[in-house]
């Protein structure tokens, strides 16, 4: 009788002890199932329910981890091309500029003519071209900076190497666009800033190339331009002139004729 009582007590106490251990493991972030084979029927049902709960919690935790990984990826990458976005490239460049890199070129590439492609051939065709350009830009550090702009960061040496790298990029990109049959409707502009001369981090380099791009993007003749300090003054004067003209029109000092 004592043996039967002892066996019965163990069939209850052991699962309870295991359940308590499982709960403690769960509090520590571990998902630990419990062996209910030696339990009686009622305790076995309790153990089975506990194990199902642990399995469900573990699966939910894995799904949450996957979602967090996806969110983190999308926060730093362009969904269409798979390239880094500006936030991802900022992280890359800021880390590089803290290392031993001594000289580099930051190049902002504007693809022109996408509106024509979208209007004549559909947005799917325009998106396909952007994807193909993203795949073509096989540099260690590249990104899609905006809807029609890409950015690359190229480590270079002296002025000759710098000029050669830019010319090589222009020729290769031009040949690639023509090979895809977009040569008539599409071309590009390159705005270039040098590290560390024109900026010692991503923000400084991106600001300079954005300024250059605003000056050359509608030019029919200039396909690439390196930043220089007078551009900032020229842009400032241009903005002041536009503001003065707008104010003059508002005051009736200028009468436009159409």
């Amino acid at each position: 009788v004592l043996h039967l009582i002892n066996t019965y007590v163990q069939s209850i106490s052991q699962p309870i002890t295991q359940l308590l251990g499982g709960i403690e493991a769960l509090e520590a972030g571990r998902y630990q199932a419990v062996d209910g084979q030696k339990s009686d029927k009622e305790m076995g049902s309790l153990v089975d329910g506990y194990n199902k709960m642990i399995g469900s919690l573990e699966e939910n935790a894995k799904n949450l981890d996957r979602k967090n990984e996806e969110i983190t990826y999308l926060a730093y990458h362009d969904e269409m091309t798979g390239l880094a976005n500006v936030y991802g490239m900022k992280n890359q460049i800021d880390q590089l500029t803290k290392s031993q890199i001594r000289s580099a070129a930051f190049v902002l590439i504007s693809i022109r003519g996408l509106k024509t492609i979208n209007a004549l051939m559909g947005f799917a065709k325009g998106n396909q071209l952007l994807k193909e350009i993203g795949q073509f830009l096989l540099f260690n550090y590249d990104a899609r900076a905006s809807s029609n702009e890409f950015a690359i960061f190229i480590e270079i040496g002296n002025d000759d190497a710098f000029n050669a790298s830019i010319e090589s990029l222009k020729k290769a990109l031009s040949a690639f666009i023509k090979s895809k049959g977009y040569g008539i409707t599409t071309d590009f502009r390159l705005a270039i800033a040098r590290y560390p001369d024109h900026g010692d981090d991503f923000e400084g380099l991106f600001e300079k190339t954005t300024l250059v791009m605003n000056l050359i993007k509608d030019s029919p003749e200039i396909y690439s331009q390196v930043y220089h300090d007078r551009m900032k003054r020229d842009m400032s004067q241009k903005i002041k002139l536009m503001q003065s003209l707008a104010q003059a029109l508002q005051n009736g000092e200028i009468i436009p004729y159409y």
Side-chain angles (χ1 to χ4, degrees):
V1 174
L2 289 175
H3 176 71
L4 291 174
I5 293 173
N6 185 50
T7 301
Y8 177 73
V9 169
Q10 286 183 353
S11 70
I12 297 175
S13 62
Q14 285 183 355
I16 291 175
T17 301
Q18 290 178 329
L19 285 172
L20 291 174
I23 292 171
E24 290 177 356
L26 185 60
E27 290 177 346
R30 302 191 308 274
Y31 299 95
Q32 180 177 302
V34 173
D35 183 8
Q37 290 183 353
K38 297 181 180 180
S39 306
D40 68 0
K41 184 177 180 181
E42 293 177 352
M43 287 302 300
S45 298
L46 178 62
V47 169
D48 288 343
Y50 171 83
N51 286 339
K52 289 178 180 178
M53 179 190 73
I54 289 296
S56 178
L57 289 173
E58 186 174 13
E59 183 62 28
N60 288 338
K62 290 178 180 178
N63 290 336
L64 183 60
D65 288 342
R66 285 193 291 268
K67 289 294 183 183
N68 287 335
E69 289 175 1
E70 291 175 8
I71 291 170
T72 301
Y73 178 86
L74 292 175
Y76 294 100
H77 291 81
D78 173 59
E79 188 174 6
M80 182 189 298
T81 63
L83 298 177
N85 58 21
V86 289
Y87 302 107
M89 193 172 204
K90 180 182 185 303
N91 287 345
Q92 293 177 346
I93 291 180
D94 287 349
Q95 290 176 10
L96 283 172
T97 53
K98 292 176 183 177
S99 63
Q100 299 300 316
I101 188 169
R102 302 184 64 179
S103 180
F106 182 88
V107 185
L108 187 64
I109 305 169
S110 177
I111 306 300
R112 306 199 324 160
L114 280 174
K115 289 183 178 179
T116 302
I117 293 175
N118 291 336
L120 296 178
M121 307 178 190
F123 283 93
K125 202 68 173 178
N127 290 342
Q128 181 62 32
L129 175 60
L130 290 172
K131 291 178 184 178
E132 291 174 346
I133 291 175
Q135 294 169 359
F136 166 77
L137 295 173
L138 296 177
F139 294 87
N140 290 334
Y141 309 102
D142 49 23
R144 187 182 180 198
S146 68
S147 60
N148 68 321
E149 291 182 339
F150 295 86
I152 59 176
F153 191 70
I154 314 170
E155 187 172 2
I156 56 172
N158 55 29
D159 289 345
D160 290 339
F162 172 82
N163 294 330
S165 295
I166 298 303
E167 286 302 314
S168 176
L169 174 62
K170 287 165 60 177
K171 290 179 181 178
L173 187 55
S174 178
F176 176 79
I177 290 175
K178 289 178 181 177
S179 72
K180 296 297 178 179
Y182 299 108
I184 297 176
T185 58
T186 310
D187 63 5
F188 59 89
R189 297 292 181 268
L190 307 181
I192 307 149
R194 294 190 64 164
Y195 167 83
D197 299 345
H198 302 142
D200 58 4
D201 60 11
F202 172 82
E203 295 290 350
L205 295 167
F206 191 51
E207 177 189 355
K208 301 301 191 306
T209 52
T210 300
L211 173 61
V212 175
M213 189 61 74
N214 285 331
L215 292 172
I216 70 168
K217 63 182 179 180
D218 295 322
S219 171
E221 299 176 352
I222 303 175
Y223 279 79
S224 64
Q225 178 65 58
V226 181
Y227 172 83
H228 50 76
D229 289 334
R230 73 173 181 271
M231 287 182 166
K232 199 166 188 176
R233 296 192 297 270
D234 292 345
M235 179 59 77
S236 178
Q237 291 174 358
K238 182 178 179 180
I239 292 173
K240 288 180 180 178
L241 177 60
M242 292 173 64
Q243 290 173 338
S244 297
L245 288 172
Q247 188 64 48
L249 285 168
Q250 185 176 351
N251 295 339
E253 300 171 11
I254 297 176
I255 301 175
Y257 289 89
Y258 300 95

